[in-house]
Amino acid sequence: MKPHFSDLTTGQKANFGDGCSFVPDFIFTANCRQHDFNYFRAGSIKDKLKADWDMCRMMWKDSFFCWHYLVTIVYWLGLTLLPLPYFFFHWGKYNTLEQIMALDNVL
């Protein structure tokens, strides 16, 4: 069964991953942490693209200034069109919650 970010405790959610990694988090740290979780969970290209879309959908929902919407579009384009994010996604079978937490502790 595929683990979900909602399976984590509030403290685990607040400290998971490193946020938006190579770009500023702005107000989107929580969205970026959930995106990190989805990348650690693993899967196929469909799972990667869904993780990217879900992150940007959440960012759009959390936006309240015009520039937030622009940032969301730029982040989505970067996640889907640039090759670098494809190296960070954990390809293959879904990791268990324990494996995901171990990956987070290693990085």
Side-chain angles (χ1 to χ4, degrees):
M1 189 166 124
K2 180 167 57 171
H4 297 281
F5 195 65
S6 59
D7 297 335
L8 301 179
T9 66
T10 303
Q12 289 171 322
K13 289 178 188 176
N15 294 308
F16 193 89
D18 64 355
C20 292
S21 299
F22 302 109
V23 294
D25 289 9
F26 300 113
I27 63 163
F28 303 117
T29 302
N31 306 121
C32 293
R33 290 186 187 285
Q34 185 167 349
H35 186 254
D36 287 348
F37 179 88
N38 290 337
Y39 266 41
F40 284 177
R41 181 174 57 203
S44 66
I45 187 69
K46 180 180 171 186
D47 294 300
K48 187 229 177 277
L49 294 174
K50 183 175 182 334
D52 297 342
W53 179 251
D54 287 347
M55 178 182 143
C56 291
R57 189 175 42 83
M58 290 182 295
M59 288 172 70
W60 194 269
K61 182 180 166 199
D62 292 344
S63 296
F64 51 90
F65 290 122
C66 291
W67 66 272
H68 290 157
Y69 296 106
L70 179 63
V71 166
T72 299
I73 292 166
V74 169
Y75 280 22
W76 182 78
L77 289 171
L79 288 168
T80 56
L81 298 179
L82 296 177
L84 188 61
Y86 289 85
F87 292 105
F88 289 100
F89 187 80
H90 291 252
W91 301 96
K93 67 178 183 66
Y94 295 125
N95 288 315
T96 65
L97 192 56
E98 293 77 23
Q99 291 169 320
I100 294 168
M101 295 308 292
L103 285 170
D104 184 44
N105 290 332
V106 168
L107 300 178

